[in-house]
Amino acid sequence: MARLAVASLLLLGVPAAAYVAPGASRSVAEQRSFTAASALPFEEPALDEPAAGSAAGLAAAGLGLGAMLGWFNARRQQVASVAGAAALAMAPAAGLAIVDYDAVKYLGGSDKVDINNANVQAYRQFPGMYPTAAGAIGSHGPYKSVQDIYSIPGLTEQVKGIMKKYEAQFVCLPVNEAYFIDRINNGMYR
């Protein structure tokens, strides 16, 4: 048992003793010969103490670190549970996300399409609407009612007839800026 304690003390203390504190490698003479320090009107006090910690302090630090790692190893399940719970508590809660647009179903997820906010791709479900009629609806507006789409300049009677065919499938909801700007190109190409 004593051999195990001495071996663990040596294994833990040797890496700690090899540590060199930053700035400890320069001698006091080198520190005084620093040109910027010699330009100052005051002198730095001479360092009489060694810059690195004592061997006993390093051994104690190594022993403490080893004891802590041993404790973690013995209670691996509890440490993992606490770490997992902490990670879960700090993660954003996806279930509490706020839906920013209540009428998202009219953006292409149902048989009705919002003419003010839906992307042109939402009109693909209506044969003949995409791309000409859908592009005309998407590039104009906002609309106050569904009937406003018939006053789009440059529409042919054929395109107006296709729009009239699906008029019951259109809804006119207030503009939501987050969707209105993406009516032509929302960055989804499939």
Side-chain angles (χ1 to χ4, degrees):
M1 183 69 178
R3 286 184 186 172
L4 181 62
V6 170
S8 63
L9 180 63
L10 287 176
L11 288 175
L12 293 173
V14 170
Y19 176 74
V20 177
S25 62
R26 295 190 311 187
S27 68
V28 175
E30 288 175 344
Q31 291 175 356
R32 285 188 183 158
S33 67
F34 186 65
T35 57
S38 62
L40 296 174
F42 62 89
E43 287 191 31
E44 277 187 38
L47 296 175
D48 294 334
E49 300 175 44
S54 67
L58 293 175
L63 184 64
L65 180 64
M68 189 171 60
L69 290 175
W71 184 84
F72 282 148
N73 191 27
R75 290 164 181 79
R76 189 178 310 171
Q77 184 68 36
Q78 291 88 351
V79 171
S81 297
V82 169
L88 185 62
M90 295 180 74
L96 302 176
I98 298 172
V99 176
D100 63 343
Y101 188 60
D102 294 330
V104 73
K105 62 183 175 185
Y106 297 121
L107 298 179
S110 71
D111 60 339
K112 302 258 186 198
V113 174
D114 178 13
I115 61 173
N116 275 332
N117 298 302
N119 185 273
V120 294
Q121 300 292 327
Y123 296 97
R124 284 181 173 253
Q125 61 183 320
F126 309 122
M129 284 289 295
Y130 182 84
T132 307
I137 293 171
S139 58
H140 293 80
Y143 306 104
K144 292 183 172 87
S145 70
V146 174
Q147 286 71 30
D148 290 349
I149 62 174
Y150 300 113
S151 62
I152 296 173
L155 287 181
T156 64
E157 289 303 317
Q158 181 184 9
V159 172
K160 287 182 183 179
I162 294 171
M163 289 178 175
K164 186 74 171 164
K165 179 179 176 183
Y166 299 110
E167 182 179 9
Q169 306 301 333
F170 301 148
V171 294
C172 186
L173 299 174
V175 171
N176 183 323
E177 289 300 321
Y179 297 105
F180 185 78
I181 61 172
D182 290 333
R183 292 182 305 150
I184 298 295
N185 183 2
N186 62 358
M188 295 167 59
Y189 302 105
R190 272 230 13 108

